[in-house]
Amino acid sequence: MSEKKIKGAHPNPKKGKEINSVQYQPKKEKKVNSTQYQPKKEKKINSAQFQSKKEKKSLLKPFFKIFSITILTILMLGAGITGIFATTFLDIMKEAPVVDTSNINELMIQSSKILDRNENVVEKIENLENRTIVKLKDVPEHLINAFISIEDERFYSHKGVDPIGIAKSLFDTARGRLRGGSTIAQQLARNLYLSSEKKIERKLKEAYLAIKITDSLKREGVLEAYLNRVFLGQHSYGVQSASQGYFSKDVKDLTIAESALLAAIVQSPTNYSLYKTIRPENVDDESSVIKDLNIGGQVYKAVYNPKVLDRQKYVLKKMYELKKITKEEYDNALKEDVFAAIKPNKGFEREVSTYFTEYVKYQVAEKLMKKYNYTKEEAWNKIYNGGLTIHSTMDQTIQKNIEKLYSDFANAMNAPKKGGPAFASFKRDKSNNITDSKGKVILYKKSNILDGNNNIIIPKGEFSVKEDQSLEIKSPRISMYQNVLSISSFYTVNNQNNLVTHGIGSFQLPENSTTVEGEKSVKISASFFENYKDFYSIDKNGNLLLNSKYFQIDEQGTVQPQSSSVVIDHTTGQLIAMVGGRETTGRPLNRAYRVPRQPGSTMKPIGVYTAALDNGFTAATGIEDSPHYNDKKELWPKNWYNGYRGLQTLRESIVQSINVNAVKTLEKIGLEKSKEYLKKFGLINEDNELDDTYVSRSENIEYNDENLSSMALGGMTKGMTNLKMTAAYAAIANDGKYREPISFTKVVDSTGKVILEPDQKQREVTSKENAFIMKDILKGVPNAMAQGAKHPNIEVAGKTGTTSDLRDSWFVGFSPYYTIGTWIGFDNQNIELNNNNSMAATLWGKVNKIVLEGKQARKFDPPPENVIKKYVSIKSGLLASEGSANAVYEYFVKGTEPTKYEELYFIYYKIDKRNGKLATASTAPQYIENKKFYIKPSAYKPGKTNYAPEDFITPPPKEVSEIVDPKDPNDNSTNSPDTNNGGNNDQHNNP
């Protein structure tokens, strides 16, 4: 610790000279080198750190301890005499907290902060106490002297308890008035370990702890801890936070007059705060307004508090009397216009929303719990109050620009200005309330549920006032859970033609006054209204009006549809940006990681086709797009287009998002194999399956995701979050290696020690070769299905996802630089999107352009050495002769490429086009289609005709069409397969 000379610090005024405060050791009253005080060693602090090894025990020390205990005993006896307290001093010591000076900093709540990837502050984490720890060497001596002069003028001549001060306190207490008199050490003991209750027991414990603290920390340690802990009003704890909060400068730059102002606050922070924060409507003409302050979104006026000036003058007078300042310094300080110096710090004004930083805090808490075995409460307390510096992975420029896009979402997405609310499809009843498909009201029109004063309308006939004056409500507008009364939500349409949804909130009724008679019925006893006389009224139309003051009506509302975007650097797994909704102010719901939605067809590459490539399929494998039936013998699933397209390669099945082929492929590889890959992709928590949104059969035997619809088509019970889906696609982009998405690189505590690093989960999902092939397949989607996702200079790949009911629109994809996921939908899932034009892909393209701004033109990496190209049929996936029609070059991992030519391996079957079944003699010719069914090269034998279903790449149907058409007397044909073996067309019986 550097040397610091403090005037008037020596207890013997006769010597009249300046000494170094660190050098002063009352045990020997001689100078000691300042290096003997080492506050930086914070792991274990004991008295040896503050005294010389050569220093002998002072004869005064036992005397002082005996004297201090005597004073405490007198206090105890005095308490007994007055009847206030009856105990022994030993009891007090037993009940007092254990003093551990090694964790003083941890006992002092400190504000934490989050930095972006370039070390810029993006959030100062708000807590009840705004504090920044400062070393004593950085505190000016005149500020130290100001606090000592007014709070503990004999600080350097006692050992934590001031006998003179206690005597004065005892005298006043005996007269029936509890007063102060606490030393700095006593105040520190109270702030660290005790409450502020005005009881003699607390005073005794406080004195005992003050002696212990002073003995351990020594004077400079006590001073440093006190100056960092003292409450100075306006949420400021410690002199550094107060200096910034009141004067917008560091404590080291304070003048004598300003230091005296801060010291003046201590006696009563409420009365002596340098300014008051007052609502604008409550500011009178005589008030002197400093500036406007935005606190939690509410504007307040900072108004000068003249009361503190007299107290400041008293502090200066004490400093002068105790020779802490000279006459000249005293006079100049009195003349200084301190009010002009008050410049309330506007506080940290964030430039980005809370979406990213909210997730950072969530992930840090999870990692703290895992590493240190913290409880959830302990982990969050560490984040809010531990003075942590969290180094996040956020690219603040990208985050800002995406939020800017979202703030103008309606225009960016070309929302229609006229007609019904933009992008929304819903039904209304005759009163213009929005209903679900069954006619149940899901959102009331505002004027139907709120009157002009925002009182809640319960229509006549849905309530009754009984003879005993109790109130009974039976209405679809309310919901009861236990004794909590909730009101239905309503909607408005804003000036941009957006649907806006609003909540009304709830009110907790007293249990002894409430009888719940059903979800939509409640009876409130008359006794309740004795204390809540204005809870309701009845208007002239006989409607019940519930007073709006008892509910929390969301006037601003939430604009719809909603959306989220996630950006990940797939090479590292680092989260670059996250937007969880269209709101970019306040603390909105983060839909990016908190709200799972049905992922639709974005599930196909993850739940089906990556596993298929690893288990016998290639990009050229033919899959029959033909009628498929579920367990109930129902035709299922439907494709997004009408009818069926016949044999399609795996590549085309993905690019064209063919539902039938996804289901058939999943049937072949099996649900268990698919689950295995969902775990690898991070969609199922491999450590704890309860800690994810995938619902297994063991969790819910009736409603779960272990079925074809969920795992092939994304029609899941709960759904998946955007963050999870984006991380899964990032594994494909990262050559098949999954990296857990991380939002921070390290967490540093207030001492500069790194206490946490991400410990990122990593694993291989698929081979580099198959990851390349899947990337190459997904490159075709923007051209075929999502033009809005294309970039002019940089290759992109990805997958669309739209649920059949148009409640969710997705695009998840990547460039060589980043992986991005976008989602659009309504919070209320009874409201659908009104178009199927790949809305999310259009948004993805706009987000991608922001993310890639300034990046060089780039294509995906070339294929690995072990990947080759072959010319194959786009139908069967078998080799085709060069120049053949309907053939393309396709990628294969060496050893998986076809070796046989297509012409040798198919059989014709006559199929009833109306149902996909075998045609019969009763099938009219106009309904018959001659269709090829390809035989596996491994099963083919020349001349063989009776192939089993498993011998086919996609087997022909087994069932015969039940449709009987009128017989054409001129038609004598029957249904039999045609075999083409090198041009020989022979007739064969059906196998």
Side-chain angles (χ1 to χ4, degrees), residues 404-417:
K404 185 177 179 181
L405 171 70
Y406 267 74
S407 67
D408 194 31
F409 186 91
N411 288 328
M413 297 299 292
N414 296 317
K417 301 285 194 263

Side-chain angles (χ1 to χ4, degrees), residues 737-930:
K737 295 180 179 66
Y738 173 83
R739 291 180 181 270
E740 176 191 9
I742 55 170
S743 59
F744 70 98
T745 55
K746 62 181 177 180
V747 178
V748 181
D749 69 12
S750 58
T751 70
K753 177 185 175 184
V754 176
I755 64 166
L756 186 67
E757 291 176 316
D759 187 25
Q760 185 183 30
K761 294 177 183 176
Q762 301 182 44
R763 54 182 166 265
E764 183 176 285
V765 178
T766 187
S767 68
K768 183 177 183 179
E769 291 78 12
N770 277 335
F772 168 81
I773 291 172
M774 181 58 74
K775 277 192 280 186
D776 193 71
I777 292 171
L778 293 174
K779 274 170 50 179
V781 173
N783 285 326
M785 306 287 285
Q787 293 285 325
K790 295 170 68 174
H791 190 280
N793 305 313
I794 298 172
E795 278 193 321
V796 298
K799 185 69 187 75
T800 55
T802 306
T803 53
S804 59
D805 49 19
L806 298 182
R807 292 176 181 174
D808 299 276
S809 178
W810 292 79
F811 191 87
V812 189
F814 43 85
S815 69
Y817 293 100
Y818 298 109
T819 299
I820 303 170
T822 55
W823 164 85
I824 300 174
F826 289 86
D827 285 337
N828 189 316
Q829 295 187 47
N830 287 296
I831 302 175
E832 301 173 4
L833 296 165
N834 66 0
N835 72 67
N836 190 19
N837 296 326
S838 300
M839 288 178 65
T842 301
L843 176 62
W844 191 95
K846 295 178 184 296
V847 172
N848 190 44
K849 285 178 182 176
I850 290 171
V851 170
L852 297 180
E853 186 175 350
K855 298 291 186 185
Q856 292 183 346
R858 186 174 166 188
K859 293 186 176 182
F860 290 109
D861 293 338
E865 283 185 19
N866 205 31
V867 172
I868 59 175
K869 269 188 173 182
K870 291 289 182 179
Y871 195 64
V872 298
S873 164
I874 61 172
K875 292 290 185 181
S876 67
L878 298 173
L879 292 174
S881 301
E882 290 289 340
S884 299
N886 298 320
V888 295
Y889 281 100
E890 182 59 271
Y891 286 110
F892 296 90
V893 180
K894 280 183 182 178
T896 67
E897 70 275 18
T899 57
K900 305 291 185 180
Y901 282 84
E902 178 188 66
E903 290 84 2
L904 299 174
Y905 302 104
F906 64 82
I907 296 177
Y908 280 110
Y909 281 82
K910 293 182 178 180
I911 304 297
D912 188 331
K913 292 187 289 187
R914 293 169 292 184
N915 55 22
K917 299 179 181 180
L918 292 172
T920 68
S922 300
T923 306
Q926 65 266 34
Y927 300 122
I928 295 175
E929 173 188 8
N930 284 319

Side-chain angles (χ1 to χ4, degrees), residues 65-356:
K65 284 191 174 180
I66 293 169
F67 179 69
S68 298
I69 291 173
T70 302
I71 291 295
L72 289 170
T73 304
I74 292 171
L75 272 173
M76 178 199 67
L77 291 172
I81 292 168
T82 57
I84 298 175
F85 189 63
T87 185
T88 65
F89 183 54
L90 288 177
D91 290 334
I92 291 296
M93 289 191 291
K94 287 178 182 178
E95 293 175 4
V98 176
V99 174
D100 179 7
T101 55
S102 66
N103 69 343
I104 289 295
N105 273 1
E106 291 185 14
L107 289 172
M108 291 187 284
I109 294 174
Q110 303 172 65
S111 300
S112 297
K113 60 186 175 183
I114 299 175
L115 311 180
D116 68 8
R117 65 196 302 113
N118 295 317
E119 306 292 303
N120 300 306
V121 178
V122 291
E123 180 175 324
K124 287 185 177 177
I125 299 175
E126 298 174 3
N127 56 30
L128 295 178
E129 300 185 11
N130 179 27
R131 182 196 318 284
T132 304
I133 300 295
V134 64
K135 295 294 183 183
L136 191 63
K137 65 183 178 62
D138 296 322
V139 179
E141 62 182 75
H142 50 255
L143 183 137
I144 295 172
N145 285 330
F147 278 84
I148 288 174
S149 298
I150 196 64
E151 292 300 314
D152 192 357
E153 62 183 83
R154 287 170 289 277
F155 177 76
Y156 288 101
S157 60
H158 62 70
K159 281 276 189 171
V161 177
D162 181 7
I164 297 173
I166 288 179
K168 290 180 179 179
S169 178
L170 176 61
F171 178 74
D172 284 345
T173 299
R175 296 170 58 189
R177 182 173 68 90
L178 285 172
R179 55 154 284 165
S182 295
T183 64
I184 283 175
Q186 285 176 270
Q187 292 180 50
L188 178 61
R190 179 172 69 246
N191 290 336
L192 291 177
Y193 299 110
L194 304 172
S195 68
S196 297
E197 60 180 349
K198 293 183 178 180
K199 290 185 178 181
I200 205 69
E201 303 99 298
R202 194 266 296 164
K203 293 291 289 184
L204 291 170
K205 290 178 184 177
E206 178 187 290
Y208 167 70
L209 292 171
I211 296 171
K212 296 282 290 181
I213 289 172
T214 304
D215 186 53
S216 297
L217 287 182
K218 304 307 176 204
R219 301 191 194 284
E220 286 68 40
V222 170
L223 268 179
E224 182 173 296
Y226 172 77
L227 292 173
N228 280 305
R229 186 66 180 83
V230 63
F231 177 50
L232 296 169
Q234 295 298 339
H235 302 287
S236 294
Y237 287 76
V239 292
Q240 172 64 13
S241 292
S243 180
Q244 279 290 341
Y246 289 122
F247 303 110
S248 294
K249 59 184 177 182
D250 289 331
V251 67
K252 64 183 176 62
D253 299 320
L254 292 179
T255 66
I256 291 174
E258 291 164 351
S259 298
L261 265 181
L262 291 188
I265 297 172
V266 180
Q267 186 183 61
S268 177
T270 302
N271 291 323
Y272 293 135
S273 174
L274 304 193
Y275 63 83
K276 303 284 189 180
T277 50
I278 302 175
R279 294 286 292 269
E281 61 269 24
N282 297 328
V283 176
D284 57 41
D285 295 336
E286 297 179 1
S287 298
S288 182
V289 177
I290 306 171
K291 66 181 294 186
D292 289 349
L293 297 176
N294 190 310
I295 303 174
Q298 173 65 51
V299 175
Y300 290 83
K301 300 287 185 181
V303 177
Y304 286 118
N305 178 20
K307 286 183 180 180
V308 72
L309 201 55
D310 288 339
R311 181 73 178 168
Q312 182 240 15
K313 290 177 180 177
Y314 179 66
V315 174
L316 290 170
K317 180 182 177 183
K318 291 288 292 182
M319 292 176 72
Y320 175 62
E321 289 175 351
L322 295 170
K323 303 188 185 306
K324 306 290 187 183
I325 55 176
T326 66
K327 181 67 165 66
E328 182 182 1
E329 288 172 327
Y330 174 62
D331 290 339
N332 289 338
L334 287 175
K335 293 175 185 176
E336 188 175 323
D337 185 359
V338 286
F339 275 176
I342 299 175
K343 297 175 181 177
N345 193 323
K346 61 183 179 181
F348 175 75
E349 291 188 353
R350 63 173 59 252
E351 296 185 27
V352 294
S353 72
T354 61
Y355 290 124
F356 194 105

Side-chain angles (χ1 to χ4, degrees), residues 954-989:
T954 300
K958 293 180 180 180
E959 296 182 355
V960 175
S961 178
E962 66 278 6
I963 302 174
V964 178
D965 297 312
K967 180 68 175 175
D968 185 343
N970 299 317
D971 183 13
N972 298 314
S973 63
T974 58
N975 183 32
S976 58
D978 294 329
T979 305
N980 187 333
N981 294 328
N984 297 320
N985 295 308
D986 300 322
Q987 297 294 319
H988 300 284
N989 294 323

